Structure formats: structure tokens, C-alpha cells
Amino acid sequence: MAKVIAIANQKGGVGKTTTAVNVAASMAATKRKVLLIDLDPQGNATMASGVDKYEAECTCFELLIEEKPVDEVIIKDTSGKYDLIAANGDVTAAEIKLMEMFAREVRLRNSLKPVMDYYDFVFIDCPPSLN
């Protein structure tokens, strides 16, 4: 079962993305299986992982809102040698749509269940907000 670590702070510019990407890459370098989830609409963790956020076919929007299977959303073996669930501006729409959804608090956890035994660590780069 993967250990899940969310990097969160309500203020922007405090190093959340830098921490998430660097710790994910460091753990992957020690041969651990790592998944990085970019939940920030700016998509900086996605770009820092070597994935163009504008070209990403699936993001956490498809995972959380469209209920696409997690295996179809994960981008395997990025330049940091970890797997990634990308983000872009669509995540802003996801925040709005989630407000109306039942059990929105557990959607991410439930979506990740099929892969939790595969990974050693799951790092979540959170957006700078309280919602």
C-alpha cells in the first residue's frame, strides 16, 4: 500500500511544486515506485516532469470528473523516472464541478484504489487554496 503525502499550503510561491517534484524524483532515484499527482491548475509540476500540460491527453480532470480509470490517466515514466497524473487549466473547471458532486471528498482516494498497491509513494502537489 502506497504512502500518500500531500504537499499543501494556502499561500502560493512557497515551494510546494518544487518540493513535490524534487522529492518524487529523489524517491524514484532510489528505485521506489512513485506517482506524482499535479492538482494545481497552473500545471507546473506537470511541466517540471517533462510533460507539456497543453499536450496532455488526460489530466486529473478526467480522473475526478469524467471518472476515467486511473490506469488511462497515468503518464508512465516521466523524465524524473516517476509516473504522473497531469494537470492544466481544466483543473479549475474540476474544482467548480466537484462542488456539486456527491462524496467529492473521497473521489481522489477512490479513483486511486486500483493502483495503490503498485506504488511505494504517492505525492500530491496541491493548489494554493483552501477549497
Side-chain angles (χ1 to χ4, degrees), residues 82-93:
Y82 50 82
D83 295 347
L84 172 75
I85 296 179
N88 58 25
D90 292 346
V91 178
T92 302

Side-chain angles (χ1 to χ4, degrees), residues 37-39 46 53-75 84-95 97-98 101 107-108 111-112:
I37 303 172
D38 189 358
L39 286 181
T46 298
K53 65 183 176 184
Y54 302 108
E55 301 290 325
E57 291 180 27
C58 293
T59 66
C60 51
F61 177 87
E62 283 77 16
L63 181 68
L64 296 171
I65 304 303
E66 296 181 359
E67 298 181 354
K68 198 165 211 177
V70 67
D71 291 337
E72 295 178 25
V73 177
I74 292 174
I75 300 168
L84 172 75
I85 296 179
N88 58 25
D90 292 346
V91 178
T92 302
E95 287 183 45
K97 289 182 183 259
L98 278 170
M101 300 181 95
R107 288 182 78 83
L108 180 61
S111 297
L112 295 175

